[in-house]
Amino acid sequence: MHDPKLTHQERKLLEGIEAGLRSDESLSRKLHTFGHAHAGAGGAWGVVGRHRLGWCAAGLGATCVALFVLAVASTSTVPLWLFSAVWVVTAVCLMRLGMLAVRRRAREAGRASGAESDGPQAREGGSPTEG
């Protein structure tokens, strides 16, 4: 398809609308996080997934402790093997939680540094039209 040409007045009007939308912080936040909380297993985890993973790791940790106590008290090797299997799954869950926390903090740090300055011109004190 061809790109329709806009008049000067239409371009100015469109630029004003876009500037208003860019300055709306709540809209920007909603659009940035749109779909993260409801994403499936292949998508982003969101808050619900992090909490579910945290509860799962806590439950697995308690199970590890119980199986370890049972393995020490018993002469059978079955509780020891069960403990080792549950411990591996717990370690994987904890590593995943750590990776999610690091990624979230890096994303928040990126947003904070982006909010402090709007680009190199804001840091240098100049305007984009200066030569």
Side-chain angles (χ1 to χ4, degrees):
M1 296 202 131
H2 61 83
D3 191 23
K5 300 290 181 185
L6 298 176
T7 66
H8 181 69
Q9 182 181 3
E10 290 171 333
R11 274 185 274 153
K12 288 291 184 184
L13 185 63
L14 184 59
E15 287 173 6
I17 292 171
E18 288 174 346
L21 290 173
R22 272 189 228 107
S23 66
D24 189 354
E25 290 295 324
S26 65
L27 176 64
S28 175
R29 190 173 28 254
K30 285 179 186 177
L31 290 175
H32 184 72
T33 60
F34 182 71
H36 285 264
H38 303 293
W45 279 69
V47 175
V48 174
R50 272 196 310 272
H51 289 306
R52 188 174 299 147
L53 186 61
W55 281 107
C56 193
L60 285 169
T63 304
C64 276
V65 170
L67 284 172
F68 182 74
V69 169
L70 184 64
V72 168
S74 120
T75 57
S76 175
T77 59
V78 174
L80 184 61
W81 284 107
L82 286 174
F83 162 75
S84 63
V86 173
W87 181 82
V88 169
V89 175
T90 305
V92 169
C93 284
L94 289 173
M95 283 190 276
R96 180 68 180 152
L97 272 173
M99 288 176 12
L100 286 171
V102 167
R103 192 177 303 146
R104 185 179 71 233
R105 288 195 183 181
R107 190 171 44 240
E108 288 172 359
R111 280 190 211 139
S113 66
E116 290 173 5
S117 67
D118 292 329
Q121 290 84 18
R123 271 186 252 119
E124 296 169 1
S127 70
T129 57
E130 287 181 2

